[in-house]
Amino acid sequence: MPKNSTIKIALLLLGAIILGALLREAMFKVAAKKTTTSYVPALQINGDIKNPLTLLDEAEFDSVDFEYKGERKRGIPLASIIQSTEPITEKHEILFIGEDGLSALIDGSNLDGCHILLSENGWEAINLLHPVSSNVKRLKEIIIIAPDAPLNFGVNIISQTENLAYFTPGQLYKETGVQMPYFEGTSTVTNDGGQNSVSIFTRRQLYPLRDLVDFSEAEQFVVMGAKGETLYTSDPGFLQVNKNFLNYFSLDRENEIIENVKGFMIAPPSRSITDLYHDTLHYLQRDEKVLLLFLDGFGYHQYEYAKENGYIPFLSTLPQAEKALSVYQPVTNAGFAAMITGKTPDENGVYSRDQMDLKTPSIFAMAKQLGKESALIEGHIKILNTEIEPVLNIDLNGDGKNEDEIYSTALEYVKDANYDLIMVHFHSIDDAGHSYGDLHENTMEQLKVVDGYVRDLVEAWKGKVIILADHGMHSTEDAGNHGEFRYEDLIVPYIIAEGGRIE
Amino acid sequence: MKKMRNVFILLSLVLLLLFSAACGSKEPAANGDNNSGGEEEEAIVIAGAELGEHKITVAKLKEKYNPVEEDVVSVNSSGNENEYSVKGALFSEVLENLGINQKDLPAIRFVAGDGYMMEVPKEVLEARDIILAYEINGEPLHEKTKPIRAIVPGERSMYWVRNLVKIEILEAATAEAVSKLMFLESVVSSMEEHDYTYYESIDKAVLCKKLPLPEEDDTVYLKSSDGLDKNEKAEVFLNEGYIKITGEASPAYLSPNLPKGMHVKELLWVGKADVGILSVEQGLKYFTPVQKGEAEGILITDIFQEVDMADSEKYLFTAVDGYEVEISKDDLAKGVVFIKDSGEVTVMFDGLPKNTTVKGLVTITALEN
């Protein structure tokens, strides 16, 4: 190889090494620059909304130019931020909360001229058409408050006969709360110098239930969560806002928490619809036959009204119904599952209309273990997957209902001495309640029809009879509904009687 | 042409060096990284006093347990949130395979390879899933996060331990041993009895708040002779409860103010803090009985194991009339508890003098060593 070529290649290599090293250094600088960030405070948008939001960057929304005090400014229209969070009601209020606690409440119906911008004052609200005191600097949170939110969104506080108070996450911000340190845990690091531990606390804003409603007389309460968690307690505890839902919190009992709490009942009845399983098992173990008459959508207040007004002549001859507590969510799947398993929805796995499979054995499995023959007689749709196949009934005579077919089938089974346990599910009271309302005359007339079916079945049965409902029904603007934590939906009648003709 | 070739060589070399610069960068490339040790070697250890040490490789976790995939949100100490998509095995399933129920554990401790330790209390173990994650955001774990990252959805990120190498089961750490064991039949013999309507019969019951239980501890442990057990809030147990002592299903914890699902029939024993109260009648169903003369009895050692009696060199056996006998630890295996025809709870020790027999036995106390 010629000498000058070798020198050229050596020079080229040297040049490449120097260039490469320079470029590499430059890359690290770029990388280093990329990791250097300035502190941007987070702005939380929470409350009565579907999508809670944490705003860290103005670029997440389109900004607009506007003029304020003779200066040109650029900010995000508040309306577009609020819209993205999907408030649960059209009518709402907006609460601006600053880092120093300064808060300003405005009506959310007109957000023209309202802007949110990031400035030397942190996040800042500038509301051109509202009083200047609504312009909160160093904003920490924006809370959307829905005064007329649907009951299922927040927590309902009720007694056996009254819906006492209702709070959404947004509405709680207007109430008096307390700040309490909550112990999160201790972590430890082992190093050459020994062990170093750190205890972690969070300061939590809690709302004592005792301050929200006066229930000084009551000694016992029951708390229910969205997944059917059920806690009997004599300590009222606290509510805590978690973005767009509420938690129940007890400091006394090992910091017990029910996430997404739905309701709190003062002085609940001692009976629960879960008693059905235990009572039935008790009688079966004593070799007594049991007929379970499951009247779908029949609340205790409907029972009382119907009894007072003569719509249930046969039920009125039986012992006075006891009040029994249904479960959350008071809908057929969850109530039915709780009745036949003796367990609350968080344990049996059925907490809404979306579940059909039981996680715990039902009374039908227990009957089988005892060598007893069971039957479940229902409408045309299977509601739960239980250990026995239901006997389904369609509208054979084309009268638009299958309740009469359920009755006819049930009567055949009741007269068949081979069955020790029969459960009959009548659903027409629920259907009428939905169509007309809980106390509507048409609903009461349907109740009268079912009362006649019940009479015939009870009179034909030799053994114990338990009559109860899965849930109740409440009035709506145009008819009736259920599924909310309210006394009309949760308190149902529970009757234990003897079969046979009453002389 | 030669010039072009030189420029080409120069460019190639520059690109080569740039490539090597990028590879040598100390910035983490991504969450995913190539395996250095291999999944066969990467493992975590699950350790406990009774369990010993069980090593589980990551490969085994993937192969043996159903993978769970979940979108999770971690909240760090400053309240900031990060979203991840994680894939891993459920710790509860791994425990199940070892014959352990996660919800029964009093506490566990996560130990990371760098010495970080985090204790996970019972409340978290009862309420949460723990995912032993081997993939985050669709990629294998980063070298510093391997072999496993604990993910506890719903809990703060201090529980989400990276570089998890060991999970210790704290069996004895928080469970309180019983130092005073009482016998229900003797305890209720001196208590006021109340009528209790149970279906068609009127039985006798005593008030739970009158039982000789200590004030400490917010929880009461209840176990039935069919093996079912539960924890009850002390306030509910004491304010509302009765122990029905006659009739069907007795002894039974129940209350006219509570749903029947909260009742405990055929109660074997009740525990609060360091005191336990045991029913001999139900014990005869639960334990393997031994013949004692004409009566059937229960071995003291079986009872001690069930209630986790405090370890001591000597135990004091006391009768309702105040008669006391001290028995050494070594002689416990000779002891049998039974109910005499007269209804008295009695303990006898085979091979020990007759005066060690205690009739009307009410308490066994572990004496301080």
Side-chain angles (χ1 to χ4, degrees):
Chain A
M1 186 181 277
K3 199 178 169 185
N4 59 347
S5 296
T6 314
I7 292 166
K8 271 182 189 170
I9 287 169
L11 280 170
L12 273 169
L13 264 172
L14 187 65
I17 288 165
I18 292 166
L19 195 57
L22 284 171
L23 278 167
R24 181 174 165 157
E25 188 63 20
M27 277 175 71
F28 276 137
K29 278 186 179 165
V30 170
K33 211 171 183 178
K34 271 184 189 164
T35 57
T36 307
T37 54
S38 59
Y39 174 68
V40 178
L43 174 60
Q44 306 279 350
I45 297 102
N46 295 325
D48 303 336
I49 52 177
K50 283 185 188 159
N51 309 315
L53 180 70
T54 303
L55 203 55
L56 284 165
D57 191 344
E58 277 181 306
E60 289 177 41
F61 288 88
D62 291 334
S63 291
V64 293
D65 292 325
F66 63 95
E67 203 172 298
Y68 179 61
K69 290 183 178 174
E71 276 183 46
R72 288 212 61 79
K73 300 262 186 188
R74 193 165 172 76
I76 308 167
L78 178 61
S80 57
I81 297 175
I82 302 297
Q83 199 184 357
S84 76
T85 64
E86 296 189 50
I88 55 157
T89 57
E90 214 168 292
K91 189 183 167 200
H92 51 257
E93 296 171 317
I94 293 168
L95 180 68
F96 299 105
I97 304 176
E99 281 173 14
D100 58 358
L102 178 73
S103 303
L105 185 71
I106 65 166
D107 186 346
S109 58
N110 182 9
L111 298 181
D112 290 346
C114 297
H115 301 89
I116 301 295
L117 58 151
L118 194 55
S119 69
E120 67 275 13
N121 294 319
W123 290 100
E124 185 179 359
I126 297 182
N127 304 313
L128 301 176
L129 305 178
H130 287 76
V132 70
S133 51
S134 69
N135 294 347
V136 178
K137 292 173 180 167
R138 298 200 180 279
L139 262 180
K140 190 176 73 171
E141 277 181 288
I142 299 176
I143 306 299
I144 288 90
I145 304 169
D148 304 316
L151 270 191
N152 271 357
F153 194 75
V155 165
N156 207 12
I157 302 172
I158 67 174
S159 71
Q160 289 187 28
T161 54
E162 218 179 334
N163 299 317
L164 299 167
Y166 173 66
F167 297 97
T168 64
Q171 288 165 15
L172 263 193
Y173 276 85
K174 288 182 170 178
E175 300 296 326
T176 309
V178 289
Q179 277 218 340
M180 290 198 190
Y182 174 74
F183 177 62
E184 295 273 4
T186 302
S187 52
T188 313
V189 171
T190 308
N191 48 39
D192 295 342
Q195 280 194 345
N196 290 320
S197 294
V198 58
S199 294
I200 309 286
F201 294 85
T202 45
R203 293 199 72 77
R204 297 197 175 190
Q205 178 79 7
L206 302 175
Y207 297 88
L209 274 151
R210 214 173 260 292
D211 292 350
L212 297 174
V213 178
D214 176 26
F215 42 73
S216 44
E217 302 285 308
E219 285 186 352
Q220 195 170 318
F221 314 95
V222 66
V223 192
M224 291 188 187
K227 294 256 172 93
E229 303 93 330
T230 305
L231 177 74
Y232 283 80
T233 176
S234 53
D235 160 39
F238 303 83
L239 293 176
Q240 183 205 5
V241 179
N242 191 343
K243 296 190 175 192
N244 64 342
F245 61 88
L246 297 168
N247 294 336
Y248 170 78
F249 206 83
S250 169
L251 291 177
D252 286 356
R253 293 192 315 283
E254 297 167 355
N255 297 324
E256 187 145 3
I257 295 173
I258 292 183
E259 271 187 15
N260 201 0
V261 62
K262 287 297 164 192
F264 184 85
M265 180 182 265
I266 297 160
S270 56
R271 268 215 182 273
S272 155
I273 60 168
T274 57
D275 284 2
L276 181 83
Y277 169 92
H278 302 280
D279 289 341
T280 306
L281 188 59
H282 170 81
Y283 295 125
L284 290 176
Q285 283 169 337
R286 292 162 63 106
D287 288 330
E288 287 195 66
K289 295 187 173 211
V290 188
L291 172 64
L292 306 174
L293 299 176
F294 163 13
L295 312 186
D296 200 314
F298 183 36
Y300 196 86
H301 68 295
Q302 291 170 285
Y303 164 80
E304 281 191 317
Y305 180 85
K307 196 173 171 184
E308 278 168 26
N309 294 283
Y311 289 105
I312 45 171
F314 177 71
L315 287 177
S316 302
T317 64
L318 299 179
Q320 172 68 24
E322 291 180 74
K323 286 179 178 173
L325 181 63
S326 182
V327 293
Y328 193 85
Q329 190 178 20
V331 293
T332 297
N333 293 43
F336 186 8
M339 288 193 280
I340 61 170
T341 60
K343 303 280 184 192
T344 49
D346 56 325
E347 291 178 286
N348 70 37
V350 182
Y351 54 86
S352 73
R353 291 185 176 99
D354 298 334
Q355 297 85 37
M356 280 184 80
D357 295 319
L358 303 171
K359 284 186 183 168
T360 55
S362 82
I363 190 64
F364 301 116
M366 302 311 288
K368 201 171 181 181
Q369 264 186 30
L370 293 168
K372 310 284 185 187
E373 201 64 41
S374 312
L376 169 62
I377 298 158
E378 291 198 87
H380 65 289
I381 296 170
K382 183 177 177 180
I383 293 172
L384 296 174
N385 293 319
T386 71
E387 297 84 354
I388 60 168
E389 277 305 308
V391 180
L392 298 180
N393 292 275
I394 54 167
D395 180 17
L396 291 171
N397 59 9
D399 67 349
K401 294 172 183 168
N402 58 2
E403 202 81 332
D404 48 342
E405 283 82 3
I406 295 172
Y407 160 68
S408 302
T409 307
L411 201 54
E412 280 175 36
Y413 275 75
V414 161
K415 287 177 177 173
D416 182 342
N418 288 324
Y419 289 95
D420 304 287
L421 171 65
I422 299 174
M423 186 173 206
V424 187
H425 177 194
F426 289 114
H427 60 83
S428 61
I429 306 167
D430 181 80
D431 297 342
H434 278 291
S435 302
Y436 307 109
D438 51 347
L439 302 177
H440 191 276
E441 197 179 341
N442 291 352
T443 308
M444 288 296 127
E445 287 299 335
Q446 188 56 40
L447 189 46
K448 202 171 186 176
V449 173
V450 174
D451 184 73
Y453 295 157
V454 169
R455 180 196 60 223
D456 292 352
L457 294 173
V458 172
E459 287 183 353
W461 182 250
K462 287 177 186 146
K464 278 275 184 291
V465 180
I466 304 178
I467 303 165
L468 88 166
D470 50 350
H471 57 77
M473 179 77 61
H474 66 266
S475 301
T476 59
E477 274 181 19
D478 45 1
N481 207 350
H482 60 91
E484 295 178 352
F485 193 95
R486 52 194 302 158
Y487 82 92
E488 303 99 314
D489 292 6
L490 282 168
I491 305 289
V492 296
Y494 193 108
I495 302 169
I496 301 181
E498 292 293 335
R501 189 178 289 275
I502 299 169
E503 300 301 335
Chain B
M1 194 65 198
K2 224 176 183 180
K3 251 185 189 172
M4 283 294 284
R5 199 181 69 188
N6 287 345
V7 169
F8 177 74
I9 292 170
L10 180 65
L11 275 172
S12 305
L13 284 166
V14 167
L15 283 171
L16 191 71
L17 278 162
L18 266 177
F19 181 69
S20 71
C23 288
S25 164
K26 286 176 185 172
E27 289 290 299
N31 190 38
D33 202 350
N34 293 330
N35 277 345
S36 53
E39 287 173 359
E40 293 299 330
E41 291 164 32
E42 291 164 6
I44 58 166
V45 170
I46 299 174
E50 284 182 25
L51 181 71
E53 291 209 341
H54 278 262
K55 188 175 172 182
I56 301 172
T57 63
V58 175
K60 196 91 178 165
L61 273 181
K62 287 183 176 178
E63 176 198 316
K64 194 167 177 178
Y65 300 97
N66 290 329
V68 287
E69 289 184 64
E70 207 168 313
D71 292 329
V72 294
V73 178
S74 80
V75 183
N76 69 14
S77 53
S78 47
N80 290 330
E81 295 185 356
N82 288 303
E83 284 187 31
Y84 304 97
S85 161
V86 300
K87 185 176 176 182
L90 277 178
F91 181 51
S92 57
E93 286 188 12
V94 177
L95 284 175
E96 236 168 69
N97 194 43
L98 297 170
I100 299 167
N101 185 345
Q102 180 181 308
K103 293 186 178 184
D104 292 342
L105 294 177
I108 60 169
R109 187 186 291 130
F110 290 139
V111 183
D114 62 2
Y116 179 85
M117 286 186 278
M118 185 70 216
E119 197 165 307
V120 185
K122 184 170 181 59
E123 299 84 68
V124 173
L125 293 170
E126 276 179 355
R128 305 291 190 196
D129 282 337
I130 294 172
I131 302 170
L132 302 176
Y134 40 73
E135 267 184 40
I136 293 181
N137 294 335
E139 294 181 10
L141 299 182
H142 185 276
E143 199 57 45
K144 286 182 178 172
T145 308
K146 280 180 177 178
I148 286 295
R149 182 168 187 187
I151 301 285
V152 191
E155 291 299 327
R156 295 179 87 84
S157 61
M158 61 185 186
Y159 289 114
W160 298 29
V161 177
R162 297 164 197 269
N163 183 209
L164 181 69
V165 293
K166 193 174 188 183
I167 302 173
E168 293 172 354
I169 294 170
L170 306 177
E171 282 158 301
T174 51
E176 190 164 8
V178 168
S179 61
K180 186 177 176 186
L181 176 67
M182 307 186 84
F183 292 90
L184 186 69
E185 289 82 355
S186 303
V187 168
V188 300
S189 65
S190 59
M191 288 176 72
E192 188 187 352
E193 293 181 0
H194 301 262
D195 285 346
Y196 194 99
T197 305
Y198 187 76
Y199 293 99
E200 295 79 9
S201 62
I202 296 174
D203 297 331
K204 295 290 178 194
V206 296
L207 285 165
C208 289
K209 62 182 166 199
K210 300 280 184 184
L211 289 170
L213 290 166
E215 284 187 10
E216 294 82 24
D217 206 339
D218 295 334
T219 308
V220 176
Y221 175 80
L222 298 148
K223 184 165 182 177
S224 157
S225 62
D226 65 8
L228 290 176
D229 61 353
K230 65 178 268 194
N231 285 314
E232 183 66 278
K233 303 297 166 200
E235 53 177 44
V236 173
F237 178 83
L238 297 171
N239 292 345
E240 307 287 342
Y242 288 82
I243 303 291
K244 186 169 83 76
I245 52 172
T246 65
E248 189 185 331
S250 68
Y253 159 66
L254 26 76
S255 162
N257 299 325
L258 294 173
K260 293 194 167 90
M262 292 175 75
H263 297 177
V264 179
K265 295 176 190 174
E266 299 185 332
L267 189 62
L268 175 67
W269 74 283
V270 180
K272 187 166 190 275
D274 67 339
V275 176
I277 303 177
L278 181 126
S279 159
V280 180
E281 186 192 343
Q282 293 305 316
L284 288 166
K285 290 187 196 168
Y286 182 76
F287 302 107
T288 308
V290 291
Q291 207 62 34
K292 196 72 203 164
E294 290 192 357
E296 281 190 327
I298 316 163
L299 289 171
I300 287 283
T301 45
D302 281 352
I303 297 174
F304 275 27
Q305 195 182 349
E306 167 61 33
V307 303
D308 188 21
M309 192 72 182
D311 191 31
S312 177
E313 288 306 312
K314 284 187 174 175
Y315 295 88
L316 185 68
F317 288 66
T318 310
V320 283
D321 62 4
Y323 183 71
E324 289 179 348
V325 171
E326 234 178 69
I327 301 290
S328 79
K329 182 182 178 179
D330 299 337
D331 289 329
L332 281 180
K334 299 169 186 166
V336 175
V337 174
F338 60 99
I339 297 179
K340 289 186 75 166
D341 291 344
S342 61
E344 285 176 305
V345 176
T346 302
V347 63
M348 282 183 77
F349 295 89
D350 280 340
L352 293 190
K354 272 193 173 174
N355 63 2
T356 59
T357 297
V358 180
K359 290 175 193 170
L361 176 68
V362 65
T363 309
I364 305 175
T365 312
L367 296 173
E368 283 181 23
N369 293 322

